[in-house]
Amino acid sequence: MYLIAGLGNPTREYEKTRHNVGFSVIDVLADKYNIDVSDRKHKALCGRGVIEGEKVLLLKPQTFMNLSGESIREAVDYYKIDPEDIIVIYDDISLDPGQLRIRLKGSAGGHNGIKNIIAHLGTQEFPRIKVGVGAKPPKMDLADYVLSRFGAEEQKLMDEAFGEAAEAAVMMMTAGAERAMNHYNAKKKAE
């Protein structure tokens, strides 16, 4: 079984903010593959289903971003999921809006949600999909920026990116993470 976790913050107040792009990608997957993500388990909203022949658990941690690892750890322990079968999807301010970057492992790079996941799993070796949300404007507080919403033009780019990130997650499961990295990491550079 694969665990696909999209990071974000619960409650209406944070819907559609830059920090909640992980939730948006989970919503795309849930809609496309008809998976109900409304079970309240593992400190998350989650749903089990099948994507392209692979059993999956879609997870939207409800612990708030900085404690995402608590939820993921509970799900991993319950379903006995190996770290390499986890795909974490989250926002990245070092990438242009809508740009994707897939990594097999790595440090948190300053992202508190990822820091917490690494702390709870005891490893940095889990695949992830970073979804670019653009750089913070000078003089703007980072927390205010990541909790802000996209402008109309950016939102169009982001909606496309949510679809692409969902496709990337599927490719990671069906064709392997290396293939997905080669396809999606090279994409924006070529355009």
Side-chain angles (χ1 to χ4, degrees):
M1 174 183 271
Y2 284 89
L3 167 61
I4 305 177
L7 304 190
N9 285 312
T11 74
R12 274 237 157 85
E13 177 186 353
Y14 298 107
E15 273 179 19
K16 303 204 180 291
T17 60
R18 292 172 195 277
H19 228 16
N20 276 33
V21 298
F23 282 9
S24 297
V25 176
I26 293 296
D27 291 341
V28 170
L29 284 166
D31 288 347
K32 183 170 182 182
Y33 293 97
N34 204 21
I35 299 171
D36 179 11
V37 184
S38 63
D39 278 356
R40 291 191 166 274
K41 286 187 200 159
H42 317 299
K43 297 180 183 167
L45 289 174
C46 58
R48 289 171 51 185
V50 176
I51 294 178
E52 305 298 334
E54 298 288 349
K55 286 185 195 167
V56 297
L57 176 69
L58 299 181
L59 195 78
K60 292 162 79 171
Q62 300 293 291
T63 53
F64 286 92
M65 179 64 80
N66 295 354
L67 300 175
S68 298
E70 291 178 13
S71 170
I72 290 173
R73 180 79 221 197
E74 267 190 37
V76 162
D77 287 349
Y78 186 84
Y79 291 103
K80 311 276 186 272
I81 297 170
D82 292 326
E84 61 268 16
D85 294 331
I86 300 169
I87 300 170
V88 179
I89 304 166
Y90 62 101
D91 59 298
D92 190 319
I93 60 167
S94 66
L95 299 173
D96 292 336
Q99 185 178 2
L100 301 183
R101 176 91 18 93
I102 297 169
R103 291 279 181 258
L104 296 180
K105 60 185 178 185
S107 72
H111 194 286
N112 290 330
I114 297 297
K115 268 185 204 160
N116 192 257
I117 294 167
I118 290 169
H120 278 274
L121 293 181
T123 182
Q124 297 182 1
E125 303 208 8
F126 54 88
R128 58 207 68 182
I129 301 172
K130 303 177 188 189
V131 181
V133 296
K136 170 186 85 67
K139 298 184 183 165
M140 188 174 190
D141 180 69
L142 179 60
D144 291 340
Y145 180 67
V146 296
L147 297 177
S148 68
R149 288 176 172 78
F150 298 101
E153 283 303 306
E154 276 184 321
Q155 190 62 58
K156 282 184 204 161
L157 272 178
M158 296 312 298
D159 288 340
E160 280 179 32
F162 300 152
E164 283 197 345
E167 289 168 12
V170 172
M171 184 183 278
M172 289 169 82
M173 292 186 300
T174 59
E178 294 281 343
R179 180 130 177 241
M181 283 172 69
N182 292 338
H183 182 79
Y184 288 96
N185 291 357
K187 199 164 187 172
K188 287 291 178 190
K189 292 178 206 136
E191 287 174 3

